[in-house]
Amino acid sequence: MRYSAFSIVRNALSGNLNWKPQWRQPQPKSHYDVIIIGGGGHGLATAYYLAKEFGVKNVAVLEKGYLGSGNVGRNTTIVRSNYMLPGNEPFYEFSMKLWEGLEQDLNYNVMLSQRGVIMLYHSDAQRDAYVRRGNAMWMEGVAAELIEREQLKKMIPFLNYDHARYPILGGLLQRRAGTARHDAVAWGYARGADRHGVDIIEHCEVTGIRRENGIVTGVETTKGFIGCGKLALAAAGNSSRVGEMADLKLPLESHVLQAFVTEGLKPCIDHVIVYGGGHFYISQSDKGGLVFGAEIDGYSSYAQRGNLATAEHVMEEGVTMIPGLARVRVLRAWGGVMDMSMDGSPIIDRTSIDNLYLNCGWCYGGFKATPASGYCFAHLIARNDTHPVARALRLDRFARGYAVDEAGAGPQPNLH
Amino acid sequence: MTGYRLSSGGLVDRSKTLSFTFDGRPLRGFAGDTLASALLANDQLLIGRSFKYHRPRGIVSAGPSEPNALVTIGSDARTDPNTKATVTELYGGLTAKSQNRWPSLGFDVGAVNGMLSPFLGAGFYYKTFMWPKQFWERVYEPFIRRAAGLGRAVLERDPETYEKSWAFCDLLVVGAGPAGLMAALTAGRAGLRVIVADEDFRLGGSLLATGETVDGAPASVFADRTVAELQALPNVTLLSRTTVFGWYDDNVFGAVERVQKHIAEPSSKLVSERVWRIVAKRALMATGAEERPLVFGGNDRPGVMMAGAMTTYAERYGVAAGKQITIFTSGSAGYRTARALASKGVAIAAIVDARAESADQAPDGIRVIRSASVVDTKGRQRLKGIVVERSGFEELIVCDALGMSGGFSPVVHLACQRGARPVWSEELKAFVAPDVGGGLRAVGAANGVYTLSSCLSDGAEKAAAIAADLGFRASSAAAPVVDGEEATSFSALWYVPGAKSKAFVDFQNDVHAKDLGLALREGFGHVEHAKRYTTSGMATDQGKLSNINAVGILAGMRGVSPADVGTTTFRPFYTPVSFGALAGAARDEHAAPARKSPLHGWAMKNGATFIEAGLWHRSAWFPRAGEKTWRDSVDREVLNVRANVGLCDVSTLGKIEVFGPDAAEFLNRLYCNPVLKLPVGKARYGLMLREDGVVFDDGTVSRFDEEHFFVTTTTAMAGPVMAHMEYCAQTLWPDLEVRFTSSTDQWAQMAIAGPKARAVLQQIVDGDISDDAFPFLSVRKIALKSGVSARLFRISFSGELAFELAVPAGYGEAVADQIMEAGRPHDICAYGVEALNVLRLEKGLLTHAEFDGRVTPDDAGLGRMLSMQKTDFIGKRLSTRYGLTAADRMQLVGLKPVDADKDMRAGAHLLKEGTKPSTLNDQGWVSSAGFSPVLGHAIALAFLRSGRERYGEKVIVFDKLRDQEIVAEVCDPVFVDPQNAKLKA
Amino acid sequence: MASLITCPHCGLRPKEEFAIRGDASRGRPEPMDSDEAWHDYVYVRANPRGRTLEHWHHVAGCRRFLVVERDTATHEVYSVVDAAEFARRAAQ
């Protein structure tokens, strides 16, 4: 069923009783050309593009929980392509361009809202680093603007211009960046993939990867053995666990990142604002809640919940950046498991096993990457060839000395 | 008129009248009222508008689960939107405004959404607003944003202050109802350190809202007596107005105390709110149970409220919810409400009981309609009547208020915040707390124990067990005797069939039963999907009332037990907590500590302008009369250092003293260059790598003694380098005999640089510092003529003849003054970090602008420092990887503009002449740039692909961000005195 | 764990006094060990769901590195020992 204003009216007139499931609940077949482990944003996007762009339609996505139960449903919904390094910027800009056509492509309103992401700077050194980044964006043809303090005051009057511990001197703005409705992205890709024949199998946990003669032949699951021609891992925070089933040793640590939402408010914050004196970032959802987060808690965790000290620190940064937040009440805190890589950049690559493909290391930037990650991963799986914009994101870059270290923090994941 | 104050009764203080306003209308209440009870007493039934359909809404509850009665309290910078009237303590002068309505509460244009509701079902927005493409953001989204949201935040600077505090106890009791108070009393008497926290301003919980008696007195009297005894116990702390919002690892609880939220003019001496982190050996969750609404047609009409809330308003506040009341119940609780109201003379039109039979007895003369349901309600902005259906026959019953009761759910929120999920109890028809170990246990109604006497005994027993467990002896006092105990049975009723109009599940978010049906139809039947698709349970009340009914309805539609549907995830916060409270005092200038150099006073005296550098405030430049811009001052300072002499505060550099027989070996492994054979009395430039072969930090290593080294770090990396050294010493090489300590704060360190530096310094230093006696890179412990012991280093970060003098921090200012005085005949000037930066730039010396965490020694032109003969050093092994040694890496170069009047800025990128900007064509970037007053034009340091082979080549300096492109010539990065003649003078 | 750590030197201390360095299960290879051993040491992590060893640095306390043995799924702490002590024991 194609979605449109017309379909809404027509269905309303029949009591909304004729809407169909947005994706099927199929029983797994005995064999697929491609099995994707992980029914989150990246896995579903991969399936969608495999079927739609690369003609690989005999595909299953296996999800151990409910569809979209991982980080795609627990993030701060920011999409942007304001990266500095040549290994990253083309990839994220490719993603941004896919975002810009996603709603029409999927026939699903993911509520992309290009309200602009502004990253504040608080010192000359930080400004210079942002200028370097902004010019790197321009190199890739991506518009960036340096907003000086006086202009910023007009644009965002409620920032802490007078009493900030680190003075707010200006910001780097990407106007095309913004937010999208996270759950809708998972659902839209699921529906799209399903319509192209992909089997999305929820509540199906992979418990083993069967190999014969050095190649993968299928997966053991809680719904029995399922054979496959190619196996693709898109398991985010659980990548190490799934990789272990195929004896993969991965450059990953799983960490917890908290995110928060306030009570619903009338529109008051019109941009995504990122505090440069810490890690705080905030935007307002269409529903009215202020959605925000900051750094990871710092220790390895699979628990999907954070601790109070970090939460308090996040609020400190928030109130320091926007003093008027003090009386706004925080409704809910949640935690996601981040697959933190050793250089803060993702991995999309083949593995030492011929028909096993890897997509992981998204740190806390996975949501914005969803379309490009799916597209490039599908490209790799279908053609056995790395997509040009993902060439720097290979697994062997650490051994070869080509880390893509956007933060310059070195091989300590919790610093990225 | 519907709601009114009863002529007597209740726990409010009728002698203290409080004036307040609602939407500008002056009203009165009593001390002890909540805003909700006072509004109800004033017959203000319509309080707000719902989120989506802008339906008129009134008070539903008498506590923190309230979905509807949200108001904005206060004004200007003291505005608190979305405040629940049901938990807001009334105070004189309170101003409340309704929300989410335009132009007025009574006439709200947004209500048109209600008529469009067939088109606005769950998730409708995912299916439309996509055409034309641009319209989503230009038209639809702004419209939706404006329509959505609830209250308005002013985002003005908050005048209030906040603080945080730790507390430690043997037993934390969350909730001061019957179970909680009995538990606290038992534990308190046994000598445990007890903390009791309750969100209410009056302790007692349900004891304050019941007609039952305890030990022959009204239950509220028992509560007061118990509270008084607890107050008198020195080992018991009572925290009222304190909500325990979260349960964290190691049995740490987060709680927020509203210190002055109930005061019209808060004292500036007290904080507004205080966050407690309570470390509890044991905790009891005496959080009670939540009464369930019934999901029937028109159940959101103002005047429809929880039966228990009606009881509370009557018993505690002396307020009747209506003059002609009906009750719709599936359990005993509805009868209890009827009795409470009837006993106060309130007319009860009927009790509609969904059950076919029960043992519950209605008060005399009150009609009971069994096996019946309410299928619709009449009225617009207030209830006028209900439509009751029984055996296919409908009857209109005129009434102005309806109490509903669908049974009870234990409040298990806290126990489920750390991964455990609540467990379905078929017996209790409710989700109960999971077993999360001994640290936290549910007690009383939170434990599914509903009668007053059993709550009291459960509290006493659980506390006694904890006391015994912790080694205390609890005496078994006689259990209080309860009279007139109320029955508590009910049958679960998730959805009342036959609804003639919308039957709401989540009131605030306007999710009705059909939305859940649609969600299921579209494949969103998983409880998390249903929540996210319909937004049920996502409002400011987090589904405290609605979640259980949503689960029950989904279970019914799917034909499974609620156990199979399960719940969504419970997460902090139990009720919303303000940013301010969680941030505490760490805001504004106090967001991070400020560090000041021991020479800060000296710099102030000399008129310094300061800048932040990490936590430090550093002197940036020293403006003099007539200088218009910072550049004027910096240029003067630079030229004066090059021509005469200057004094710069370098105390912020990290300083670490390293001692021990293995000190040399330790440092030799830390630095990539050799340190082992550094002679005593000498300093050396040192480069530390990370284990991945990338530069970590640079600084100097000095040797005062065979077993005493002194190393410096950059200002920014002082902490990380110290931590790195500790890591290496403690975890990698614990057998090396080496000890070290940071002495950054112990020394005031100043650079005296310029051709006349020696002449100035010789005047205050005891001993010969001529080039023969004290050549370049010498270090020595010396005495000043004043008798102060000091350290002198012949090192230079400017390319000039320079010394760094370190004196104990307390002497810093005096010594600096002395040097300035001695230097006056030599035209000494104070110079700041800006001039320091220009001086080092002219000399091609590097900072973290260059060492950005991706640069190797070779990239920076320091490849010869790598001592590959050493067996081992941090970073050695991985520094030889292909990618780190490839010939096409970006290498440090200098840049000078072809047109000398052109400017260059850090952050620009580099392009070959004649090429277009693209990531592929990107040749590098400018790391530092500035105006060289010595050369009279801009200079820059940059990283350029294979740069060292390209001296003489012209490149485009691409600064699109500032719309600037200029041509520059690639050159050696040392612009001034490449022979080091001045340095070694 | 995420709230409190019992430092063997300082006693029960709040989490924010510590900086977390990361995985403590790997020993630094010898200089002549293989490239693969070095690569694995610097870049590869077992990243277990369950028991793990982690270096916590008591930066606002005794400045000692501690090896914290804890569960990444439940956050339970099993043991905390001084890292030098741990390294010496491992060397034996």
Side-chain angles (χ1 to χ4, degrees), chain C residues 5-68:
Chain C
I5 286 283
T6 304
C7 171
H9 309 295
C10 311
L12 192 71
R13 311 299 304 168
K15 181 251 178 202
E16 53 267 43
E17 288 188 3
F18 297 83
I20 301 137
R21 167 90 184 200
D23 185 18
S25 67
R26 301 151 303 140
R28 189 168 183 266
E30 294 300 318
M32 301 317 288
D33 283 350
S34 68
D35 284 352
E36 195 190 356
W38 275 95
H39 169 265
D40 287 2
Y41 167 64
V42 175
Y43 290 113
V44 172
R45 302 288 189 273
N47 195 23
R49 181 188 170 94
R51 250 173 220 258
T52 193
L53 297 170
E54 215 165 42
H55 275 132
W56 287 56
H57 187 199
H58 199 182
V59 285
C62 59
R63 302 280 317 177
R64 296 296 297 179
F65 273 86
L66 311 174
V67 173
V68 177

Side-chain angles (χ1 to χ4, degrees), chain A residues 16 67 73 100 104 109 113-114 132 140 160 163 165 181 264 266 286 305 326 329-330 333 398 400 405, chain B residues 81-82 100 126 130 133 137 141 151 157 249 521 529 572 577 580 589 615 852 854 881 883 909 919:
Chain A
N16 284 318
L67 184 148
E100 288 173 327
Q104 287 67 33
N109 189 354
S113 176
Q114 293 177 285
R132 179 183 172 192
E140 184 62 20
N160 195 359
H163 294 282
R165 171 67 181 81
R181 166 88 179 101
K266 288 293 176 193
D286 285 344
R305 59 188 166 81
R329 282 182 292 251
V330 187
F398 303 108
R400 292 170 57 244
D405 191 346
Chain B
N82 300 339
N100 203 31
Y126 300 126
M130 291 179 274
K133 192 175 161 184
E137 281 176 63
E141 191 196 28
R157 173 171 295 275
D249 292 333
R521 214 169 293 134
H529 279 155
V577 184
E589 288 86 351
L615 297 180
D852 69 348
R854 289 169 286 263
R881 284 174 298 162
H909 281 238
T919 301

Side-chain angles (χ1 to χ4, degrees), chain B residues 427-558:
Chain B
E427 182 199 345
L428 291 170
K429 297 283 181 211
F431 286 97
V432 299
D435 182 355
V436 290
L440 176 63
R441 289 206 185 285
V443 64
N447 187 34
V449 170
Y450 295 137
T451 64
L452 179 51
S453 60
S454 57
C455 281
L456 292 166
S457 57
D458 196 31
E461 281 162 23
K462 289 233 163 62
I466 286 168
D469 204 20
L470 295 177
F472 294 83
R473 191 179 309 157
S475 57
S476 49
V481 178
V482 176
D483 270 331
E485 182 143 278
E486 298 278 1
T488 61
S489 72
F490 66 89
S491 70
L493 178 59
W494 309 120
Y495 176 68
V496 179
K500 302 273 187 218
S501 57
K502 283 196 182 63
F504 284 90
V505 180
D506 184 316
F507 293 110
Q508 192 182 126
N509 272 357
D510 278 335
V511 180
H512 52 107
K514 281 184 179 171
D515 286 324
L516 290 169
L518 176 61
L520 185 65
R521 214 169 293 134
E522 293 199 272
F524 295 96
H526 189 280
V527 67
E528 286 282 357
H529 279 155
K531 166 189 157 181
R532 289 157 184 261
Y533 196 63
T534 65
T535 75
S536 179
M538 290 171 75
T540 61
D541 56 316
Q542 289 281 282
K544 287 185 175 59
L545 295 180
S546 62
N547 282 350
I548 182 66
N549 284 333
V551 168
I553 291 169
L554 284 171
M557 291 190 301
R558 282 166 52 183

